[in-house]
Amino acid sequence: MPESPTSPPPASPTNAAAPSPVSALLRATVLFVAFLALQFLLFKSLLRFPSSRFLPAPRRSNSTWANGAVDDAEECKAGLIYVYDLPPEFNHDLVAHCDRLWPWYSFCPYLSNGGLGRPAAEIPALSAVVPNASLPNWYNTDQFPLEVIVHRRLLSHRCRTIDASLATAFYVPFYAGLDVGSHLWGPNNTVADRDRAGTRLLRWLREQPFFRKSGGWDHFITLGRITWDFRRYGADGWGTNLVLMPGMENVTRLVIEGDRLDPLDVGVPYPTGFHPRRAADVRAWQEHVLSLERGNLFGFAGAPRSGFRDDFRDVLLEECEDAGSEYCRAVDCRGTRCNDNGAAVMRLFMGSRFCLQPRGDSFTRRSMFDCMVAGAVPVLFWRRTAYDAYRWFLPARSRGEEGEWSVFIDRRALRVGNVSVRDVLEGYSERRVRRMRERVVEMIPRLVYGSSADGLGDGMEDALDVALSGVLERFRRRRWSIAHEAERPPGRLVAGAPRRGSSKTTAPPTSNGRNGSVIGQRASRHRSTAASSAYIKTVLSEAPASRSKSLQQS
């Protein structure tokens, strides 16, 4: 007999047994546990992949100092620093999308801890190289996060002001290196992609009253890649055109490798893995590297470049092989061995008295700073690798002090076999080598970026302290120059006397590899001093910048 149309179907609720209170409670418990598990996974993902929250908030605020009253007025005697609050597309958003910055791997781990990277304690290979006492000061730091490291430090700097009218210097926290790095590779990346953020940033900056007032001469920026990545030559050349864009004519640039002929480029050390918290941490590391028994006369970390004709690295690898394992050890950096955690390179340098430092994709490599932090003496083959590039940080070449902390070997003589690396280095007495190593170790504080917002303390300056001192002194001299110009008859004049020679830059002929461009040789030689570099020319016109009409240094 068919069922009545009004009869409930077998599965209807009216036909089912009423749930017991126990089963309802069990279901609710399961749902609650699942919810907590999901929240935990989301929380872990936020910790693993840094977002815009990686930047610290000011500690205290008043109308003058963003981070509270300064205990000692002398600390900020050189001036106060104003940090622009840029639209997030120029910094925060780049960090938030860190998994898109490189085509080969996620850059997120390297931007954790404010750009310092993962702690060495989490990386067995690196923690095996660093003594336990120094382990909290070591991180797996990439060579390109300078912009993030400096921005984070300046937000908490004791001399940061939130009142722009009181500022001596203005910092522009644009992560230009991270931005352009995301557009350097791939078939679909265009010149417009590489220039877009810089163009928008400068449009925004020219609307700011203090930038308009000075023309940008009291503003500074950090560039976390080499300067050649920001100077495009040709319609479809390498990199972005940021440095040559209208609006950048007067902005001081702290860059890991600058153009020695452009006075606005100030070379600052590459970030290494050593980020001490205080002066005592530095001294402990200095004592450690000085006490090490170094079994190798010299070491070399690198890989031959198959795309280079007569690659000089091949020459150095042959020199190491000819010297034998008793005198030399090499680390083959093909693949990612030297980039993954830096342990192999640090172990090599900490066991060598000297380390060979040829040019890389550009004239300087991060390896030179790794070498010196490890307490080894760098052996250079291009003077531009260090002597002309880091005048605020390394002893002045003009006074002939480069021989106190480095060895220079003529690469041409080495290539043709007139000299050998082993013979040159064996010519230094043990006493002389010890003095050179002590001089290198003495320089370590100025070559590293501390992790504390308050700096190293105890009168010790790190690389950022040195850079800020130089920037503030440069701007002080410029103000002095402007005050004296006011007494002159009106006219289109520039501050200071013209410097000899030209600051015209030379374009790199080709580009290669992940680190940037291959730099062409310059015919002329240029010598600059810290004193003359303190003056810069002001160009208030917004006419397009060009290579043939570049700034002069007075």
Side-chain angles (χ1 to χ4, degrees):
M1 180 178 177
E3 295 181 357
S4 167
T6 59
S7 300
S12 75
T14 59
N15 212 31
S20 69
V22 174
S23 62
L25 178 62
L26 180 62
R27 282 197 299 270
T29 302
V30 170
L31 289 173
F32 180 69
V33 170
F35 173 77
L36 289 180
L38 179 61
Q39 295 300 310
F40 178 72
L41 289 174
L42 290 173
F43 178 70
K44 283 193 70 176
S45 69
L46 287 173
L47 291 179
R48 183 178 178 186
F49 301 109
S51 67
S52 59
R53 298 184 301 109
F54 80 104
L55 294 172
R59 291 170 293 184
R60 285 188 291 153
S61 292
N62 58 36
S63 61
T64 304
W65 291 284
N67 298 315
V70 177
D71 295 331
D72 183 359
E74 291 294 308
E75 286 186 318
C76 299
K77 182 175 64 173
L80 299 175
I81 301 164
Y82 181 81
V83 180
Y84 278 109
D85 185 13
L86 298 182
E89 66 178 287
F90 300 118
N91 43 46
H92 288 250
D93 289 353
L94 290 165
V95 174
H97 300 118
C98 51
D99 57 327
R100 308 176 192 173
L101 295 177
W102 297 116
W104 307 282
Y105 53 84
S106 171
F107 205 61
C108 297
Y110 297 102
L111 293 181
S112 60
N113 294 302
L116 304 185
R118 293 171 59 200
E122 298 178 4
I123 304 169
L126 195 53
S127 60
V129 177
V130 178
N132 290 336
S134 294
L135 203 55
N137 303 300
W138 278 86
Y139 295 80
N140 185 24
T141 306
D142 190 79
Q143 61 181 332
F144 293 139
L146 178 71
E147 298 143 348
V148 181
I149 292 172
V150 172
H151 187 196
R152 185 179 187 274
R153 281 275 302 276
L154 289 183
L155 283 177
S156 299
H157 198 276
R158 59 190 176 276
C159 297
R160 175 191 167 211
T161 179
I162 55 176
D163 185 345
S165 67
L166 300 175
T168 302
F170 296 80
Y171 177 62
V172 183
F174 172 35
Y175 298 172
L178 295 185
D179 175 72
V180 71
S182 66
H183 299 297
L184 287 176
W185 297 274
N188 298 322
N189 290 320
T190 66
V191 166
D193 293 331
R194 300 197 293 269
D195 283 350
R196 184 177 298 110
T199 301
R200 289 170 61 86
L201 180 278
L202 289 170
R203 185 183 304 133
W204 181 91
L205 198 58
R206 285 195 293 267
E207 294 175 355
Q208 307 310 306
F210 289 94
F211 187 86
R212 291 201 308 268
K213 179 180 178 181
S214 68
W217 63 259
D218 53 2
H219 286 57
F220 70 106
I221 190 172
T222 46
L223 299 179
R225 299 182 66 90
I226 63 175
T227 190
W228 313 107
D229 291 343
F230 306 97
R231 301 170 182 268
R232 185 174 62 250
Y233 298 95
D236 194 28
W238 173 268
T240 178
N241 215 29
L242 177 67
V243 165
L244 304 178
M245 287 181 181
M248 286 294 290
E249 296 91 345
N250 298 310
V251 177
T252 293
R253 304 174 288 269
L254 305 179
V255 55
I256 56 175
E257 183 179 346
D259 180 354
R260 61 176 184 158
L261 300 184
D262 188 336
L264 294 180
D265 271 6
V266 176
V268 298
Y270 277 75
T272 67
F274 185 43
H275 302 282
R277 296 164 298 175
R278 54 187 185 272
D281 297 328
V282 179
R283 296 191 185 101
W285 179 255
Q286 289 173 313
E287 292 175 3
H288 174 69
V289 294
L290 275 178
S291 68
L292 291 174
E293 292 292 332
R294 298 177 182 256
N296 304 314
L297 177 63
F298 61 100
F300 173 59
R305 302 295 181 88
S306 58
F308 284 73
R309 182 182 177 184
D310 297 327
D311 179 27
F312 190 70
R313 297 187 186 197
D314 270 335
V315 175
L316 297 185
L317 288 171
E318 290 176 6
E319 285 286 321
C320 190
E321 184 177 351
D322 291 344
S325 58
E326 183 182 352
Y327 293 92
C328 178
R329 190 164 66 88
V331 170
D332 190 337
C333 287
R334 276 177 283 206
T336 61
R337 185 180 182 190
C338 295
N339 296 328
D340 286 346
N341 55 50
V345 174
M346 287 305 297
R347 184 179 290 108
L348 171 71
F349 291 158
M350 289 167 68
S352 303
R353 281 167 278 176
F354 297 92
C355 54
L356 309 186
Q357 294 300 325
R359 56 179 285 176
D361 290 336
S362 54
F363 283 103
T364 307
R365 305 189 301 164
R366 164 179 157 164
S367 176
M368 185 186 78
F369 296 99
D370 288 333
C371 160
M372 298 178 74
V373 169
V377 178
V379 180
L380 310 179
F381 306 91
W382 277 264
R383 296 190 181 279
R384 289 172 59 184
T385 295
Y387 302 149
D388 298 327
Y390 300 94
R391 59 184 181 270
W392 289 5
F393 300 87
L394 300 176
R397 178 185 174 191
S398 60
R399 296 195 296 269
E401 296 177 359
E402 64 269 24
E404 296 178 1
W405 58 273
S406 68
V407 173
F408 181 80
I409 299 178
D410 189 322
R411 64 186 179 278
R412 291 171 288 266
L414 188 65
R415 189 185 288 277
V416 300
N418 290 342
V419 299
S420 75
V421 171
R422 175 182 165 183
D423 288 344
V424 171
L425 299 183
E426 282 191 316
Y428 287 85
S429 67
E430 288 293 331
R431 184 179 178 185
R432 174 76 182 279
V433 173
R434 177 70 183 185
R435 287 203 306 268
M436 295 173 75
R437 288 189 50 234
E438 288 174 349
R439 187 70 176 97
V440 167
V441 170
E442 179 186 310
M443 294 158 59
I444 288 177
R446 301 168 64 87
L447 305 180
V448 299
Y449 298 90
S451 59
S452 171
D454 296 320
L456 299 175
D458 202 17
M460 182 180 287
E461 291 188 326
D462 74 344
L464 181 59
D465 292 326
V466 174
L468 292 180
S469 294
V471 165
L472 291 170
E473 174 63 12
R474 167 178 284 195
F475 294 168
R476 183 192 69 79
R477 295 191 182 203
R478 180 66 185 124
R479 282 189 170 83
W480 180 90
S481 180
I482 288 174
H484 284 72
E485 280 180 7
E487 302 172 1
R488 300 177 182 174
R492 192 173 178 80
L493 302 175
V494 299
R499 179 179 57 82
R500 295 178 197 155
S502 169
S503 61
K504 178 177 170 182
T505 61
T506 303
T510 57
S511 67
N512 179 76
R514 290 171 48 196
N515 291 347
S517 308
V518 179
I519 312 305
Q521 296 289 329
R522 290 193 178 93
S524 62
R525 300 180 66 185
H526 166 71
R527 301 190 179 190
S528 61
T529 65
S532 64
S533 68
Y535 297 93
I536 57 175
K537 173 182 176 181
T538 297
V539 182
L540 297 180
S541 169
E542 293 186 1
S546 68
R547 298 193 302 275
S548 60
K549 187 177 181 181
S550 53
L551 306 181
Q552 289 190 355
Q553 178 184 15
S554 54

mmCIF file of all heavy atoms in Angstrom, residues 140-162:
data_model
loop_
_atom_site.group_PDB
_atom_site.id
_atom_site.type_symbol
_atom_site.label_atom_id
_atom_site.label_comp_id
_atom_site.label_asym_id
_atom_site.label_seq_id
_atom_site.Cartn_x
_atom_site.Cartn_y
_atom_site.Cartn_z
ATOM 1 N N ASN A 140 70.871 34.433 10.139
ATOM 2 C CA ASN A 140 71.061 34.057 8.733
ATOM 3 C C ASN A 140 70.599 35.227 7.873
ATOM 4 O O ASN A 140 69.494 35.245 7.342
ATOM 5 C CB ASN A 140 70.263 32.794 8.418
ATOM 6 C CG ASN A 140 70.515 32.300 7.003
ATOM 7 O OD1 ASN A 140 71.555 32.586 6.416
ATOM 8 N ND2 ASN A 140 69.561 31.575 6.444
ATOM 9 N N THR A 141 71.448 36.220 7.748
ATOM 10 C CA THR A 141 71.106 37.482 7.088
ATOM 11 C C THR A 141 71.472 37.441 5.609
ATOM 12 O O THR A 141 72.586 37.079 5.251
ATOM 13 C CB THR A 141 71.840 38.656 7.753
ATOM 14 O OG1 THR A 141 71.576 38.643 9.159
ATOM 15 C CG2 THR A 141 71.385 39.984 7.174
ATOM 16 N N ASP A 142 70.545 37.823 4.769
ATOM 17 C CA ASP A 142 70.815 37.954 3.334
ATOM 18 C C ASP A 142 71.611 39.224 3.088
ATOM 19 O O ASP A 142 71.710 40.095 3.964
ATOM 20 C CB ASP A 142 69.501 37.986 2.562
ATOM 21 C CG ASP A 142 69.695 37.876 1.061
ATOM 22 O OD1 ASP A 142 69.906 36.753 0.577
ATOM 23 O OD2 ASP A 142 69.651 38.922 0.383
ATOM 24 N N GLN A 143 72.163 39.368 1.891
ATOM 25 C CA GLN A 143 72.970 40.549 1.589
ATOM 26 C C GLN A 143 72.143 41.763 1.169
ATOM 27 O O GLN A 143 72.683 42.865 1.069
ATOM 28 C CB GLN A 143 73.979 40.220 0.483
ATOM 29 C CG GLN A 143 73.362 39.789 -0.841
ATOM 30 C CD GLN A 143 74.409 39.465 -1.881
ATOM 31 O OE1 GLN A 143 75.520 39.997 -1.861
ATOM 32 N NE2 GLN A 143 74.074 38.572 -2.801
ATOM 33 N N PHE A 144 70.811 41.591 0.969
ATOM 34 C CA PHE A 144 70.026 42.676 0.394
ATOM 35 C C PHE A 144 68.946 43.303 1.292
ATOM 36 O O PHE A 144 68.096 44.029 0.777
ATOM 37 C CB PHE A 144 69.345 42.200 -0.894
ATOM 38 C CG PHE A 144 70.304 41.901 -2.013
ATOM 39 C CD1 PHE A 144 70.113 40.785 -2.811
ATOM 40 C CD2 PHE A 144 71.372 42.723 -2.277
ATOM 41 C CE1 PHE A 144 70.985 40.496 -3.847
ATOM 42 C CE2 PHE A 144 72.256 42.448 -3.314
ATOM 43 C CZ PHE A 144 72.064 41.333 -4.104
ATOM 44 N N PRO A 145 68.878 43.106 2.605
ATOM 45 C CA PRO A 145 67.789 43.703 3.392
ATOM 46 C C PRO A 145 68.159 45.011 4.091
ATOM 47 O O PRO A 145 67.540 45.366 5.095
ATOM 48 C CB PRO A 145 67.487 42.606 4.417
ATOM 49 C CG PRO A 145 68.833 42.035 4.713
ATOM 50 C CD PRO A 145 69.619 42.119 3.424
ATOM 51 N N LEU A 146 69.144 45.748 3.601
ATOM 52 C CA LEU A 146 69.604 46.959 4.286
ATOM 53 C C LEU A 146 68.469 47.932 4.553
ATOM 54 O O LEU A 146 68.388 48.541 5.619
ATOM 55 C CB LEU A 146 70.698 47.642 3.459
ATOM 56 C CG LEU A 146 71.240 48.950 4.039
ATOM 57 C CD1 LEU A 146 72.094 48.670 5.275
ATOM 58 C CD2 LEU A 146 72.043 49.720 3.000
ATOM 59 N N GLU A 147 67.564 48.109 3.584
ATOM 60 C CA GLU A 147 66.494 49.093 3.725
ATOM 61 C C GLU A 147 65.597 48.761 4.924
ATOM 62 O O GLU A 147 65.191 49.655 5.673
ATOM 63 C CB GLU A 147 65.659 49.112 2.437
ATOM 64 C CG GLU A 147 66.471 49.520 1.223
ATOM 65 C CD GLU A 147 66.078 48.764 -0.032
ATOM 66 O OE1 GLU A 147 65.347 47.762 0.057
ATOM 67 O OE2 GLU A 147 66.521 49.177 -1.122
ATOM 68 N N VAL A 148 65.315 47.487 5.123
ATOM 69 C CA VAL A 148 64.466 47.070 6.231
ATOM 70 C C VAL A 148 65.196 47.250 7.564
ATOM 71 O O VAL A 148 64.633 47.739 8.542
ATOM 72 C CB VAL A 148 64.032 45.602 6.042
ATOM 73 C CG1 VAL A 148 63.118 45.168 7.183
ATOM 74 C CG2 VAL A 148 63.322 45.420 4.702
ATOM 75 N N ILE A 149 66.464 46.860 7.597
ATOM 76 C CA ILE A 149 67.253 46.968 8.829
ATOM 77 C C ILE A 149 67.348 48.421 9.289
ATOM 78 O O ILE A 149 67.143 48.739 10.469
ATOM 79 C CB ILE A 149 68.658 46.375 8.606
ATOM 80 C CG1 ILE A 149 68.565 44.857 8.396
ATOM 81 C CG2 ILE A 149 69.583 46.697 9.777
ATOM 82 C CD1 ILE A 149 69.887 44.215 7.986
ATOM 83 N N VAL A 150 67.662 49.321 8.370
ATOM 84 C CA VAL A 150 67.829 50.734 8.735
ATOM 85 C C VAL A 150 66.494 51.354 9.135
ATOM 86 O O VAL A 150 66.411 52.098 10.119
ATOM 87 C CB VAL A 150 68.487 51.508 7.576
ATOM 88 C CG1 VAL A 150 68.489 53.009 7.858
ATOM 89 C CG2 VAL A 150 69.917 51.018 7.354
ATOM 90 N N HIS A 151 65.448 51.058 8.382
ATOM 91 C CA HIS A 151 64.131 51.621 8.704
ATOM 92 C C HIS A 151 63.710 51.224 10.117
ATOM 93 O O HIS A 151 63.257 52.054 10.915
ATOM 94 C CB HIS A 151 63.099 51.135 7.679
ATOM 95 C CG HIS A 151 61.759 51.765 7.813
ATOM 96 N ND1 HIS A 151 60.633 51.257 7.221
ATOM 97 C CD2 HIS A 151 61.347 52.876 8.484
ATOM 98 C CE1 HIS A 151 59.596 52.025 7.503
ATOM 99 N NE2 HIS A 151 59.993 53.014 8.268
ATOM 100 N N ARG A 152 63.869 49.965 10.434
ATOM 101 C CA ARG A 152 63.478 49.476 11.750
ATOM 102 C C ARG A 152 64.265 50.181 12.853
ATOM 103 O O ARG A 152 63.701 50.580 13.880
ATOM 104 C CB ARG A 152 63.707 47.966 11.824
ATOM 105 C CG ARG A 152 63.220 47.323 13.115
ATOM 106 C CD ARG A 152 63.473 45.819 13.073
ATOM 107 N NE ARG A 152 62.883 45.134 14.212
ATOM 108 C CZ ARG A 152 63.473 44.998 15.380
ATOM 109 N NH1 ARG A 152 64.685 45.510 15.565
ATOM 110 N NH2 ARG A 152 62.893 44.356 16.370
ATOM 111 N N ARG A 153 65.554 50.342 12.641
ATOM 112 C CA ARG A 153 66.378 51.015 13.653
ATOM 113 C C ARG A 153 65.988 52.482 13.814
ATOM 114 O O ARG A 153 65.908 53.001 14.940
ATOM 115 C CB ARG A 153 67.855 50.911 13.272
ATOM 116 C CG ARG A 153 68.516 49.582 13.582
ATOM 117 C CD ARG A 153 69.026 49.492 15.027
ATOM 118 N NE ARG A 153 69.984 50.527 15.359
ATOM 119 C CZ ARG A 153 71.281 50.462 15.098
ATOM 120 N NH1 ARG A 153 71.780 49.398 14.500
ATOM 121 N NH2 ARG A 153 72.090 51.451 15.442
ATOM 122 N N LEU A 154 65.736 53.158 12.716
ATOM 123 C CA LEU A 154 65.446 54.592 12.798
ATOM 124 C C LEU A 154 64.092 54.862 13.430
ATOM 125 O O LEU A 154 63.900 55.905 14.075
ATOM 126 C CB LEU A 154 65.524 55.230 11.411
ATOM 127 C CG LEU A 154 66.930 55.358 10.822
ATOM 128 C CD1 LEU A 154 66.891 56.069 9.477
ATOM 129 C CD2 LEU A 154 67.854 56.108 11.771
ATOM 130 N N LEU A 155 63.139 53.964 13.285
ATOM 131 C CA LEU A 155 61.837 54.165 13.921
ATOM 132 C C LEU A 155 61.962 54.190 15.434
ATOM 133 O O LEU A 155 61.157 54.821 16.126
ATOM 134 C CB LEU A 155 60.863 53.066 13.487
ATOM 135 C CG LEU A 155 60.259 53.212 12.095
ATOM 136 C CD1 LEU A 155 59.373 52.019 11.782
ATOM 137 C CD2 LEU A 155 59.463 54.505 11.965
ATOM 138 N N SER A 156 62.974 53.504 15.951
ATOM 139 C CA SER A 156 63.177 53.473 17.399
ATOM 140 C C SER A 156 64.407 54.256 17.831
ATOM 141 O O SER A 156 64.848 54.129 18.973
ATOM 142 C CB SER A 156 63.304 52.009 17.866
ATOM 143 O OG SER A 156 62.135 51.289 17.576
ATOM 144 N N HIS A 157 64.957 55.046 16.929
ATOM 145 C CA HIS A 157 66.200 55.758 17.239
ATOM 146 C C HIS A 157 65.958 56.851 18.273
ATOM 147 O O HIS A 157 64.926 57.539 18.257
ATOM 148 C CB HIS A 157 66.787 56.364 15.966
ATOM 149 C CG HIS A 157 68.227 56.727 16.081
ATOM 150 N ND1 HIS A 157 68.661 57.914 16.612
ATOM 151 C CD2 HIS A 157 69.352 56.034 15.741
ATOM 152 C CE1 HIS A 157 69.988 57.959 16.582
ATOM 153 N NE2 HIS A 157 70.426 56.823 16.064
ATOM 154 N N ARG A 158 66.907 57.023 19.170
ATOM 155 C CA ARG A 158 66.753 58.002 20.250
ATOM 156 C C ARG A 158 66.667 59.429 19.725
ATOM 157 O O ARG A 158 66.130 60.309 20.407
ATOM 158 C CB ARG A 158 67.931 57.883 21.217
ATOM 159 C CG ARG A 158 69.302 58.096 20.584
ATOM 160 C CD ARG A 158 70.423 57.723 21.530
ATOM 161 N NE ARG A 158 71.736 57.831 20.910
ATOM 162 C CZ ARG A 158 72.267 56.869 20.165
ATOM 163 N NH1 ARG A 158 71.604 55.755 19.954
ATOM 164 N NH2 ARG A 158 73.466 57.014 19.620
ATOM 165 N N CYS A 159 67.173 59.696 18.521
ATOM 166 C CA CYS A 159 67.146 61.055 17.971
ATOM 167 C C CYS A 159 66.111 61.212 16.859
ATOM 168 O O CYS A 159 66.192 62.141 16.070
ATOM 169 C CB CYS A 159 68.527 61.448 17.453
ATOM 170 S SG CYS A 159 69.798 61.498 18.732
ATOM 171 N N ARG A 160 65.158 60.315 16.824
ATOM 172 C CA ARG A 160 64.064 60.470 15.871
ATOM 173 C C ARG A 160 63.058 61.474 16.419
ATOM 174 O O ARG A 160 62.706 61.432 17.598
ATOM 175 C CB ARG A 160 63.378 59.123 15.641
ATOM 176 C CG ARG A 160 62.147 59.230 14.755
ATOM 177 C CD ARG A 160 61.343 57.953 14.752
ATOM 178 N NE ARG A 160 60.038 58.179 14.156
ATOM 179 C CZ ARG A 160 58.934 57.538 14.477
ATOM 180 N NH1 ARG A 160 58.973 56.613 15.429
ATOM 181 N NH2 ARG A 160 57.797 57.805 13.885
ATOM 182 N N THR A 161 62.601 62.381 15.578
ATOM 183 C CA THR A 161 61.576 63.345 15.968
ATOM 184 C C THR A 161 60.323 63.116 15.145
ATOM 185 O O THR A 161 60.397 62.687 13.984
ATOM 186 C CB THR A 161 62.054 64.790 15.785
ATOM 187 O OG1 THR A 161 61.007 65.689 16.160
ATOM 188 C CG2 THR A 161 62.457 65.080 14.346
ATOM 189 N N ILE A 162 59.159 63.399 15.752
ATOM 190 C CA ILE A 162 57.912 63.333 15.002
ATOM 191 C C ILE A 162 57.437 64.724 14.605
ATOM 192 O O ILE A 162 56.366 64.881 14.020
ATOM 193 C CB ILE A 162 56.828 62.613 15.818
ATOM 194 C CG1 ILE A 162 56.643 63.257 17.185
ATOM 195 C CG2 ILE A 162 57.149 61.135 15.962
ATOM 196 C CD1 ILE A 162 55.509 62.657 17.999
#
